[in-house]
Amino acid sequence: MCRLYAMHANEPTKIECSLVKAQNALMVQSKEDMQGYANGHGWGVADYADGLPLVEKQVWAAFHGEHFTKTAARVYAKTVVAHVRRATVGGTSLENTHPFDHGRWIFAHNGTIPNFEQVRPLMLEQMDPIHRSEISGTTDSEHLFRYLLSLYLRHPEKGLMTTLRTGLTQVVHWCADVDTDAPVGLNVILTDGDQLVGSRLNRSLFYLLRDRIFDCPICDRPHVHHDPQRSYQAVEIASEPITHGEDWYEVPNDTLFRVAEDYRLDMEPFLHRI
């Protein structure tokens, strides 16, 4: 199942409330999400330090111990990706814990590629040797990440959204070739710190837009040391609404999206049907 969270803003922003303190913070969802499931098979938080990913992971539940709370409290960044895991493909280990990273790239996945053992050889065959050799875990998610990066490495001129559409569509087709009736879960977040793209397919996903400095309804403080010379813009994306009483909107199913220059979500129909 899993639950993911992403924030992308034009100024460094604290995300402690979204991860720990809010009514439905990611830590709350690790203990029990809105469907009644625990997502306690590990957690990870990734942001950027000097342009490169800084990733902290543990294999225990986010709601156990203080490490997740301390990690959330220290993060002050323009781009953040966090994840709490409910294992479906691959055992509980650091290598199988999201988010995954490579170079400037960060990736998280909520969902499952069904019949992965049969789909996996097809993905490996299409990967660049560098990415194939660097796979360290056994999850469908890490393989998907490396497959998408391989496509982008070959044709960066096509852009990230086209790469995402091409890669996810191919995965859906491979899964259908094995079992047409097996549902595919492909909620993903992929970012290099400047660009952020993602998808919703057969898992819940919501977003919240911010276009001004605000006092957080949870801690009653602003989350930004604001530069008065610019207009603050941010978007938060999460498997479930994090806060109560704010305008969280549902991302339609079968959708690809990217964060635009004005920090709104540009959404396109996935149109992956065979």
Side-chain angles (χ1 to χ4, degrees), residues 181-247:
D181 297 325
V184 185
L186 290 176
N187 281 21
V188 308
I189 296 289
L190 176 63
T191 180
D192 64 357
D194 295 322
Q195 307 174 81
L196 189 148
V197 300
S199 64
R200 178 193 172 187
L201 182 63
N202 299 332
R203 296 293 188 271
S204 62
L205 197 66
F206 297 81
Y207 69 98
L208 174 68
L209 301 176
R210 301 197 186 278
D211 60 3
R212 61 180 64 86
I213 297 299
F214 69 102
D215 287 337
C216 171
I218 305 303
C219 67
D220 200 32
R221 297 176 181 177
H223 288 172
V224 183
H225 300 304
H226 181 51
D227 178 357
Q229 302 300 316
R230 66 194 309 176
S231 175
Y232 178 73
Q233 304 283 345
V235 59
E236 293 184 70
I237 302 164
S239 298
E240 300 178 2
I242 298 290
T243 54
H244 298 166
E246 293 193 287
D247 293 329

Side-chain angles (χ1 to χ4, degrees), residues 31-201:
K31 189 171 185 178
E32 184 177 15
D33 60 31
M34 293 177 68
Q35 295 185 348
Y37 293 106
N39 298 277
H41 297 137
W43 60 266
V45 179
D47 62 321
Y48 285 86
D50 299 323
L52 291 175
L54 176 61
V55 185
E56 294 194 40
K57 301 181 183 184
Q58 295 295 339
V59 296
W60 58 73
F63 61 88
H64 284 163
E66 298 180 355
H67 198 162
F68 183 82
T69 300
K70 290 180 178 178
T71 298
R74 70 131 185 99
V75 175
Y76 183 63
K78 293 182 179 180
T79 304
V80 181
V81 179
H83 188 277
V84 291
R85 184 172 184 239
R86 179 178 174 84
T88 53
V89 177
T92 301
S93 67
L94 281 179
E95 293 80 8
N96 288 342
T97 304
H98 308 223
F100 302 99
D101 68 286
H102 171 81
R104 286 180 52 86
W105 297 99
I106 295 171
F107 177 83
H109 172 214
N110 170 23
T112 302
I113 297 175
N115 302 297
F116 179 60
E117 286 307 311
Q118 292 168 268
V119 175
R120 179 176 177 269
L122 303 174
M123 298 178 72
L124 290 172
E125 186 178 352
Q126 297 299 317
M127 281 184 208
D128 185 89
I130 292 176
H131 289 295
R132 188 165 56 240
S133 66
E134 290 189 359
I135 294 173
S136 59
T138 57
T139 64
D140 50 352
S141 304
E142 185 185 11
H143 285 72
L144 177 59
F145 175 44
R146 294 294 183 164
Y147 172 58
L148 292 172
L149 288 187
S150 296
L151 294 180
Y152 191 69
L153 179 64
R154 291 189 193 114
H155 295 289
E157 75 282 357
K158 292 184 178 181
L160 205 52
M161 278 286 279
T162 297
T163 298
L164 188 65
R165 179 183 298 279
T166 300
L168 297 188
T169 298
Q170 182 62 75
V171 169
V172 171
H173 284 218
W174 282 331
C175 291
D177 288 342
V178 176
D179 183 352
T180 304
D181 297 325
V184 185
L186 290 176
N187 281 21
V188 308
I189 296 289
L190 176 63
T191 180
D192 64 357
D194 295 322
Q195 307 174 81
L196 189 148
V197 300
S199 64
R200 178 193 172 187
L201 182 63

Side-chain angles (χ1 to χ4, degrees), residues 11-22:
E11 295 185 62
T13 303
K14 288 187 68 66
I15 45 79
E16 181 182 8
C17 288
S18 294
L19 295 189
V20 174
K21 296 182 177 181

